[in-house]
Amino acid sequence: MRHLIAMGYAPLVVSNLPLTEGGRASLLPLVWQLAERRNFGFDIGGYRAAILWLGQRLAGLERLVLTNDSIWFPTGDRPDWLSVAARIDSSHAPSLIGAVPGISDGRSRDGSFRPDQGAGDFHYCSFALSFGPAILRDADFLPFWRRLRLTDRKVEIVQRGEVATSQWAIRRGHDHASTWDPGVLPQQLMALRDSQLRSLVSELVIPEDAGLRAARDAFLADRAASSDAGAVLRLVLDVIARTGAAYALPCWTMRAEGLGFIKKSPLRLDATGRAATLRALESEPELLAEAEKIRLRE
């Protein structure tokens, strides 16, 4: 909240769970409006409630940011996604700015990390979205959110909400941009020393793919493979492609310019991912203390 305020935003907070009295009291000095609702529809449900509440006020806004508590930001020593979005906004003001672009498998059709913007599943991740005046004044923006049918099925809400929001903006002819270009990742990794690259393998976070976790562990146990820099690079890129840049390397994303965030879910999904996330936060004592309170899922 303090970071949003410092960036010039008036926070409208929608809580998908009932707040405690202490939680509500700590939030109220930092928000413009505070709402509580039933936990239905994940982050998209909260966004929809906020946008429908704003209604006709949307057209008068300079910019609307949608973000949620699945990430901590800012982190690291580089400008975070919101700071870079402000810089992009001041230079050529795209209507939609997202932190992380992607398609369903993390790669474009040519196998690179530069997603095909013409693909039907191209989108920006819903935890970091920024909309400019052209979208906010689009006559179909509010109706789009009214038409959106919520569900508690994760895959369906990603398609109906996360993917559909970006696809709606693209079909309406709105320009869009990302604060971080995943296409630079292979070149950045190839520039690392072999020892630096190998150290990334043990930092890979794979929260919900047991088979991929087993492949990583087998690779680490194979001395011949893990000493081959080319094989290491292929493994790291494959894991990032299949897991997602937002999750796979917290030690990287929290310090990369245009990202500057860290995902919370690995703290409760996977013991290895939890350990890697805690290591990544060692230079952020306040966040580390908060992260240590998030336990693994039973």
Side-chain angles (χ1 to χ4, degrees):
M1 297 299 101
R2 293 185 185 96
H3 184 56
L4 288 165
I5 293 167
M7 295 293 295
Y9 290 94
L12 165 55
V13 175
V14 177
S15 175
N16 281 349
L17 290 172
L19 295 167
T20 63
E21 288 188 15
R24 192 177 298 109
S26 66
L27 276 175
L28 283 174
L30 300 173
V31 303
W32 169 54
Q33 299 288 337
L34 177 62
E36 298 173 58
R37 66 185 289 275
R38 183 169 65 92
N39 188 13
F40 182 67
F42 298 91
D43 56 345
I44 301 299
Y47 294 161
R48 183 178 183 273
I51 288 170
L52 296 186
W53 183 86
L54 285 168
Q56 298 307 315
R57 298 181 184 90
L58 290 166
L61 298 180
E62 294 178 20
R63 188 157 280 275
L64 173 70
V65 162
L66 300 181
T67 188
N68 62 50
D69 69 346
S70 71
I71 57 173
W72 280 303
F73 73 96
T75 61
D77 53 4
R78 302 283 184 88
D80 68 287
W81 79 270
L82 190 59
S83 302
V84 173
R87 186 191 307 161
I88 294 172
D89 186 22
S90 65
S91 62
H92 63 279
S95 301
L96 169 61
I97 303 174
V100 183
I103 55 177
S104 57
D105 64 355
R107 293 178 186 259
S108 60
R109 292 188 183 95
D110 65 1
S112 74
F113 277 76
R114 188 162 279 113
D116 178 4
Q117 296 189 6
D121 58 358
F122 175 83
H123 63 281
Y124 297 97
C125 294
S126 62
F127 58 74
L129 296 172
S130 177
F131 300 97
I135 285 181
L136 300 175
R137 294 166 191 162
D138 188 312
D140 194 51
F141 185 63
L142 193 56
F144 165 80
W145 287 94
R146 288 195 181 114
R147 293 191 301 268
L148 199 157
R149 292 182 297 116
L150 298 179
T151 175
D152 262 346
R153 292 185 288 273
K154 185 69 177 286
V155 173
E156 288 187 25
I157 200 64
V158 167
Q159 290 297 321
R160 293 181 192 181
E162 183 172 79
V163 176
T165 299
S166 294
Q167 286 295 309
W168 171 89
I170 292 168
R171 288 195 301 270
R172 297 286 289 185
H174 294 292
D175 54 347
H176 52 96
S178 173
T179 62
W180 178 72
D181 177 9
V184 305
L185 189 56
Q187 290 75 24
Q188 289 175 338
L189 292 177
M190 284 189 287
L192 296 177
R193 295 193 301 273
D194 290 354
S195 58
Q196 292 174 311
L197 186 59
R198 280 193 290 272
S199 72
L200 290 181
V201 178
S202 60
E203 299 301 321
L204 288 169
V205 171
I206 308 169
E208 296 184 282
D209 188 331
L212 191 57
R213 285 200 299 269
R216 175 204 57 202
D217 295 343
F219 184 91
L220 286 170
D222 184 341
R223 289 189 178 183
S226 59
S227 63
D228 180 343
V232 173
L233 178 63
R234 288 191 295 274
L235 175 72
V236 172
L237 290 175
D238 186 52
V239 170
I240 293 172
R242 293 169 62 183
T243 302
Y247 290 91
L249 273 179
C251 60
W252 187 279
T253 53
M254 71 176 289
R255 292 181 175 85
E257 183 162 336
L259 294 177
F261 62 79
I262 198 162
K263 292 288 288 186
K264 299 179 183 179
S265 58
L267 292 165
R268 59 180 178 80
L269 293 176
D270 167 57
T272 303
R274 174 179 171 81
T277 303
L278 291 175
R279 284 195 298 273
L281 286 169
E282 285 177 351
S283 61
E284 303 278 341
E286 186 176 351
L287 294 182
L288 179 61
E290 195 170 337
E292 287 174 338
K293 297 176 184 177
I294 300 176
R295 310 310 306 169
L296 281 171
R297 182 172 58 192
E298 296 295 333

